[in-house]
Amino acid sequence: MATEEEMPAAAAAAAAPAGGGGDDAEMRDAASPSESDSDSSDSDDEGAAGADELRIQALEQALKEQPLDYETHVQYIQCLRKSGNIEKLRAAREEMNKYYPLTPKMWLEWAKDEISLSTSEESFGDVVKLYERGVQEYLSIRLWRDYLDYVEEHDPSVSQCTPAGLSKMRDLFERAITAGGLHVTEGSKLWAAYREYEMAILITISDENDEEKAKQVQRIRTLFHRQLSVPLAEMESTLVEYKSWEAEQGNANDPGSTFDGVPSNVTSAYKKANDMYNERKQYEDQLSNAGASEADKLQEFLKYLKFEESSGDPARVQVLYERAVSELPVSSDLWMGYTSYLDRSLKVPSVLRSVYYRATRNCTWVAELWVHYLLSLERIHSSEEELRHVVFERAVQCSFPTIQEYLNVYLTRVHSLRRRISDGLDFQLIRQTFMDAAEFLSPQLGTKELLHLNAYWAKLERNLGKDLAAARGVWENTIKKSGSVLEVWQQYISMEMEMGNIHEARSLYKRCYSKRFAGSGSEDICHAWIRFEEENGTLDDYDLAVKKVTPRLKELMMFKSQEEAKEEAYSMLNDNSNADDSYQKRKAGKMTNKQQPPAKKRKENPPKSAKSSDDQRSKAQSGHSAAIAAVEVGDVAREKVEASTEMKVDSDSRTGNTGSNEPKPSFYNDKCTIFVSNIDLKANEDDLRRFFSDIGGVTAIRLLRDKFTKKSRGLAYVDFSDNKHLDAALKKNKQKLLAKKVSIARSDPSKGKKNWEAGPSSKGHDNLPQSGDDGAKAPGSSRSDKEVPKGDVKITGKNTQFAPRSVVKPLGWTTKEEKPDGGAGELKSNEEFRNLLLKK
């Protein structure tokens, strides 16, 4: 019976005896020494009650918002228990148990609270149900002992020792022994309680009823023998107690001799059990370490379990697993090991159902447990109702870490339905499961997983559902979502081929041969169509396929060649730039050593009009070679090359100070600078500043403008105060500025700076070495003059990748002097400019 201290406050108050006679004044005087103390105590109680009520309301609101918060449930129950609101307390406990198993301590508290309020046989049944629910969730020897004591004390049939009551109590004790009788350290408590009950029954039997008394004595003796054959703690004291009891029954024995008076078979079983206990004592000692962490305790349990499994006693293994999951209820490793062991070794349907149900309540987030649960129920031939409503529908409502785990649960369900379709299940169940899976998973599934799901779906629609139109519908929906994936088309075509639908397969080839697939997929599908027609089509079909595929393959080859040419051109330009660095340094050194005065330098650099035609031809040849290389790598590359050398400050561009005599820096540091391209031509510096205003840190903006028209060229450099802001700016790559998505990359000053440091530049061409000077190759030339493969680029002469725009003429521009027809300079297209260069 629960003590008054263990009851809720309200229940304890109700259980207190009422006062006797006397008037109210006398009672008040006897209750408290002063009126002021009573008033103060009442106000304190009211304040505490108000605070508790506010706390309860806050917890109720928190549970409405987060109904799965375990700790909030626990705190809410504790507050209600303190307040004594028994109706709310019951509802709160039921609500928590709907989501989570309760601990043995919580079940004990619940049972004691209900016992303190029970007044009828009906309430006795309710308490018994609570105990039953509690002992089924976790193994707790204390909970079993309380359950046994409660039934023994409060069940009228048991307390009156009726035959039905005796049978009921003995059955309950046997259940307790089965559940925890093999618990090495605490199991002896259950055996002792069982013996005490039977000994109490023996006392109630009269001496005249010798036959009944003898049966009861033998029943107690059997309990001793059974316990002595089980490896438990304190086995020696149990043996001594047994010998003492036998002596009371008239079977004399020598207390000094361990086994005197003990039957030989019991002695043999005891010795064996004692050896087993000694083998397990080292594991028990490790588990009894109160200071061990949960991780350490888990490792000790796993070692212990491995040892028990090697011993080959399923009952002992099961009890040890129950002990482990009771102490570490959210360890998925333990539950996975427990359920797998039962699937392999025990295979008892009732045990499997119970353990899997508890495992998935404790570790709801482990999809593998749900998958094994479905498979285990299928093995024991559970009903479709149980598989669907008890397991599958609960599983898909859980929170799994990855989308792949949801897919595994759905596929396990489909596999089960497919295997049981011969039992009379409707194919619509499979179709509906696939539809639910596609709707739930498609937005998050990867291409590979989505292809797997839809391929399986189409296969079952065709083979089990006998619905080819539905199978095609699955593939058509897949193409809408993943039409750029080659495998989708291949598997769709493969399905049609398996069905012998040559015409439909040909139609699919016609639909997909012109699509762009990753890697060599575009070429592969073209060649596959040709093979298909060779093996299945007529000559006209084959000719048509060749006619369609040939220009497509040429287009793909041309595209591939262009990409390779771009890569090689960039590589060559970089190689030449590295070679030019050393040349510029040597040239700068020579100029420094001469120490010529500025006037003399200007004298030695005649104006452009005074240069010889030979010099012009050699410079044109060198410039043409570099320009052709730049044209081959495309407009974007050309713009980047030019932009990397033109350093116009945005303030000068806005104010028009282009003709200022103030010296301009020969180069910018660019240590914390980004290069922005593909800018809308209508955008100005203010637009760029607003674009980066959300990240801040902008110190300067250099919008590159055309040399002649002063219009924006869609390129800019933006300086930032530190790398943190620069990194944030890089994340805005491909975001829209006005009407265009801009490209953002980090500026690399390490290459351009070297060329600038080689010496001062001028606006003429004289300072750049030409490939035709002295009839020798330019220092930057890294390739031979041999014939280059088709699509490759041959570069000769001085590399101009990092030269200022004032030195290198913009690609596509010609001056009046250089244009063949003598007209004004104008911007030409890439193709026109290439042709012009080739003519020259």
Side-chain angles (χ1 to χ4, degrees):
M1 185 71 178
T3 63
E4 211 168 299
E5 289 80 6
E6 294 170 323
M7 299 178 190
D23 58 28
D24 294 341
E26 290 175 348
M27 292 178 66
R28 285 196 298 273
D29 292 339
S32 60
S34 68
E35 190 72 28
S36 61
D37 291 344
S38 177
D39 292 343
S40 175
S41 175
D42 290 344
S43 63
D44 290 344
D45 291 343
E46 289 176 2
D52 290 343
E53 186 62 30
L54 290 175
R55 175 66 173 158
I56 289 172
Q57 291 176 3
L59 290 170
E60 287 174 348
Q61 182 62 33
L63 287 174
K64 284 181 181 178
E65 297 171 358
Q66 297 289 339
L68 299 180
D69 191 326
Y70 184 89
E71 290 301 326
T72 305
H73 277 290
V74 173
Q75 294 173 21
Y76 184 46
I77 288 171
Q78 290 173 347
C79 288
L80 290 174
R81 194 165 189 258
K82 182 180 177 181
S83 70
N85 191 333
I86 194 65
E87 294 301 327
K88 274 192 173 183
L89 181 58
R90 285 187 184 125
R93 283 165 166 160
E94 291 289 355
E95 185 68 14
M96 182 176 180
N97 194 228
K98 183 169 73 174
Y99 299 112
Y100 301 106
L102 305 184
T103 64
K105 179 182 177 182
M106 297 178 76
W107 284 113
L108 281 170
E109 291 175 348
W110 193 352
K112 287 179 179 179
D113 292 346
E114 295 295 343
I115 290 170
S116 67
L117 299 171
S118 62
T119 56
S120 62
E121 292 186 7
E122 183 179 350
S123 60
F124 167 79
D126 293 337
V127 174
V128 169
K129 289 178 182 178
L130 284 179
Y131 275 118
E132 282 291 338
R133 289 167 63 184
V135 297
Q136 288 173 10
E137 290 203 328
Y138 296 114
L139 173 60
S140 171
I141 302 301
R142 183 185 172 189
L143 188 59
W144 269 110
R145 284 294 305 271
D146 276 27
Y147 184 16
L148 293 166
D149 292 343
Y150 176 75
V151 173
E152 186 176 352
E153 183 178 348
H154 292 86
D155 191 329
S157 63
V158 173
S159 59
Q160 294 171 13
C161 296
T162 64
L166 292 174
S167 176
K168 178 180 181 179
M169 197 64 202
R170 283 168 180 154
D171 289 344
L172 190 58
F173 270 115
E174 288 295 337
R175 283 180 56 204
I177 292 296
T178 301
L182 297 179
H183 194 302
V184 174
T185 56
E186 297 185 15
S188 57
K189 297 177 182 179
L190 294 175
W191 289 102
Y194 198 176
R195 289 198 315 273
E196 289 170 4
Y197 174 75
E198 294 294 355
M199 289 178 180
I201 299 300
L202 179 61
I203 296 174
T204 63
I205 300 175
S206 62
D207 294 337
E208 291 80 9
N209 196 345
D210 294 337
E211 183 179 355
E212 188 63 31
K213 193 167 188 176
K215 286 182 179 179
Q216 187 63 20
V217 168
Q218 186 58 37
R219 189 175 282 116
I220 297 172
R221 182 177 290 115
T222 302
L223 279 176
F224 269 117
H225 292 175
R226 288 171 63 189
Q227 182 178 355
L228 290 171
S229 66
V230 178
L232 300 171
E234 303 176 357
M235 293 185 66
E236 295 83 356
S237 62
T238 304
L239 180 61
V240 172
E241 185 180 352
Y242 168 60
K243 291 178 66 178
S244 175
W245 180 81
E246 285 288 6
E248 292 175 2
Q249 307 309 313
N251 300 320
N253 55 73
D254 182 7
S257 176
T258 305
F259 297 109
D260 184 55
V262 180
S264 59
N265 63 321
V266 176
T267 301
S268 175
Y270 174 86
K271 290 180 178 179
K272 182 179 179 181
N274 194 47
D275 291 340
M276 292 174 65
Y277 171 75
N278 290 331
E279 290 175 347
R280 288 158 177 78
K281 190 174 185 304
Q282 57 174 326
Y283 299 106
E284 294 292 343
D285 291 342
Q286 293 293 331
L287 291 176
S288 64
N289 181 9
S293 65
E294 287 191 357
D296 293 337
K297 188 165 285 190
L298 173 61
Q299 293 304 313
E300 295 302 328
F301 267 121
L302 292 176
K303 292 176 186 176
Y304 198 173
L305 286 163
K306 186 177 180 180
F307 169 77
E308 283 291 6
E309 289 186 24
S310 66
S311 301
D313 187 347
R316 297 197 61 80
V317 175
Q318 186 181 357
V319 169
L320 185 55
Y321 266 119
E322 288 292 346
R323 287 177 59 187
V325 298
S326 178
E327 292 196 39
L328 303 169
V330 293
S331 171
S332 58
D333 292 338
L334 285 175
W335 286 112
M336 286 297 301
Y338 191 7
T339 53
S340 297
Y341 177 79
L342 294 178
D343 281 329
R344 293 193 313 269
S345 304
L346 207 56
K347 300 180 181 179
V348 178
S350 60
V351 176
L352 286 169
R353 282 190 174 94
S354 171
V355 174
Y356 268 113
Y357 178 75
R358 291 185 291 133
T360 52
R361 276 171 62 80
N362 280 279
C363 299
T364 57
W365 63 91
V366 183
E368 193 174 359
L369 274 173
W370 291 100
V371 168
H372 289 184
Y373 193 0
L374 287 167
L375 295 173
S376 184
L377 289 183
E378 187 182 354
R379 289 189 193 100
I380 61 178
H381 306 290
S382 297
S383 65
E384 167 62 17
E385 190 74 13
E386 183 178 7
L387 284 163
R388 180 179 179 182
H389 297 295
V390 176
V391 185
F392 175 69
E393 290 181 355
R394 285 176 54 215
V396 295
Q397 292 174 2
C398 294
S399 297
F400 300 139
T402 64
I403 198 68
Q404 179 65 47
E405 291 173 286
Y406 286 100
L407 177 62
N408 292 341
V409 172
Y410 273 104
L411 289 178
T412 302
R413 167 69 172 160
V414 172
H415 299 331
S416 175
L417 291 170
R418 178 190 60 78
R419 287 188 289 264
R420 295 180 292 121
I421 198 73
S422 58
D423 297 340
L425 291 178
D426 189 355
F427 181 78
Q428 184 60 32
L429 285 173
I430 295 179
R431 180 176 292 144
Q432 186 61 49
T433 305
F434 273 120
M435 291 171 66
D436 294 343
E439 180 181 359
F440 180 57
L441 303 177
S442 290
Q444 305 171 68
L445 272 183
T447 302
K448 182 179 178 182
E449 291 78 12
L450 187 61
L451 180 60
H452 177 200
L453 177 69
N454 289 330
Y456 188 28
W457 184 2
K459 177 182 176 182
L460 295 187
E461 287 283 4
R462 186 189 69 192
N463 295 339
L464 294 183
K466 307 299 181 184
D467 191 340
L468 182 57
R472 286 173 176 158
V474 171
W475 283 120
E476 291 295 339
N477 286 332
T478 308
I479 286 173
K480 289 179 182 178
K481 299 174 183 176
S482 305
S484 61
V485 179
L486 176 63
E487 289 78 6
V488 173
W489 292 95
Q490 288 176 328
Q491 293 206 29
Y492 192 0
I493 292 169
S494 177
M495 184 192 78
E496 296 290 0
M497 291 292 294
E498 290 176 11
M499 299 291 292
N501 300 325
I502 303 299
H503 177 72
E504 287 74 10
R506 180 178 293 113
S507 298
L508 291 173
Y509 275 118
K510 290 179 180 179
R511 288 170 59 187
C512 70
Y513 83 95
S514 60
K515 291 187 176 294
R516 184 173 181 179
F517 300 113
S520 62
S522 299
E523 293 92 333
D524 294 343
I525 200 66
C526 291
H527 294 305
W529 187 9
I530 297 296
R531 286 195 300 273
F532 168 81
E533 296 297 358
E534 288 175 340
E535 297 172 1
N536 301 280
T538 64
L539 183 58
D540 291 339
D541 295 329
Y542 172 77
D543 290 341
L544 178 62
V546 171
K547 180 180 178 181
K548 294 281 189 181
V549 163
T550 300
R552 174 59 176 161
L553 288 174
K554 289 182 179 179
E555 179 186 355
L556 293 170
M557 290 176 64
M558 184 179 299
F559 176 78
K560 185 177 180 181
S561 298
Q562 290 174 351
E563 292 297 311
E564 292 174 352
K566 287 180 183 180
E567 293 177 5
E568 187 160 356
Y570 278 124
S571 175
M572 291 163 59
L573 287 171
N574 290 333
D575 291 344
N576 288 342
S577 175
N578 294 334
D580 288 342
D581 291 340
S582 59
Y583 178 83
Q584 290 279 21
K585 289 179 181 178
R586 289 196 299 271
K587 181 178 178 182
K590 291 178 181 179
M591 293 174 66
T592 305
N593 292 336
K594 290 181 181 180
Q595 295 293 325
Q596 294 175 330
K600 186 174 181 181
K601 290 181 182 178
R602 286 194 298 271
K603 206 174 193 180
E604 290 179 351
N605 292 325
K608 182 176 179 181
S609 58
K611 293 184 181 180
S612 67
S613 59
D614 292 340
D615 288 343
Q616 291 179 359
R617 282 195 297 273
S618 64
K619 289 170 186 172
Q621 181 181 353
S622 175
H624 295 166
S625 300
I628 292 174
V631 170
E632 290 293 337
V633 299
D635 291 337
V636 176
R638 182 194 71 205
E639 291 294 320
K640 286 185 179 180
V641 170
E642 295 173 355
S644 64
T645 58
E646 179 175 342
M647 305 298 179
K648 289 272 187 186
V649 182
D650 60 341
S651 59
D652 289 344
S653 299
R654 288 193 299 269
T655 59
N657 295 336
T658 56
S660 174
N661 294 326
E662 295 179 7
K664 296 181 180 179
S666 57
F667 65 90
Y668 290 88
N669 191 357
D670 282 3
K671 285 186 177 179
C672 201
T673 303
I674 61 169
F675 173 69
V676 187
S677 59
N678 200 38
I679 302 172
D680 194 301
L681 298 181
K682 297 178 182 178
N684 55 28
E685 288 82 354
D686 292 334
D687 294 321
L688 282 167
R689 199 176 299 278
R690 280 193 295 272
F691 181 71
F692 292 105
S693 62
D694 58 331
I695 60 173
V698 176
T699 60
I701 297 177
R702 289 168 275 158
L703 183 63
L704 306 189
R705 301 178 181 275
D706 187 84
K707 181 178 179 181
F708 301 97
T709 65
K710 308 304 179 187
K711 293 182 179 179
S712 169
R713 294 171 46 229
L715 307 168
Y717 286 90
V718 182
D719 298 331
F720 288 88
S721 58
D722 53 47
N723 283 326
K724 180 180 178 181
H725 290 93
L726 184 139
D727 292 337
L730 291 174
K731 294 179 181 178
K732 295 177 72 70
N733 184 36
K734 299 303 180 185
Q735 293 188 17
K736 277 193 175 184
L737 171 59
L738 299 186
K740 297 180 69 174
K741 291 183 180 179
V742 296
S743 298
I744 302 175
R746 183 162 189 158
S747 177
D748 186 3
S750 61
K751 298 180 181 178
K753 184 176 179 181
K754 294 178 181 178
N755 285 342
W756 284 102
E757 291 174 344
S761 64
S762 69
K763 293 186 178 180
H765 291 204
D766 303 290
N767 290 347
L768 288 178
Q770 303 298 326
S771 62
D773 292 348
D774 300 327
K777 279 174 126 184
S781 180
S782 60
R783 292 176 60 89
S784 67
D785 292 333
K786 294 180 181 179
E787 183 179 353
V788 242
K790 182 178 180 181
D792 204 346
V793 180
K794 180 178 178 182
I795 300 179
T796 60
K798 175 66 178 135
N799 186 286
T800 59
Q801 184 176 5
F802 294 102
R805 184 180 173 116
S806 59
V807 176
V808 182
K809 293 186 180 66
L811 297 181
W813 283 90
T814 60
T815 65
K816 185 173 182 179
E817 291 80 10
E818 292 177 331
K819 191 176 180 185
D821 57 4
E826 62 181 280
L827 182 64
K828 293 182 174 292
S829 66
N830 283 347
E831 189 63 31
E832 291 173 329
F833 188 56
R834 184 186 292 110
N835 294 336
L836 178 61
L837 293 175
L838 292 175
K839 288 178 181 178
K840 287 191 175 184

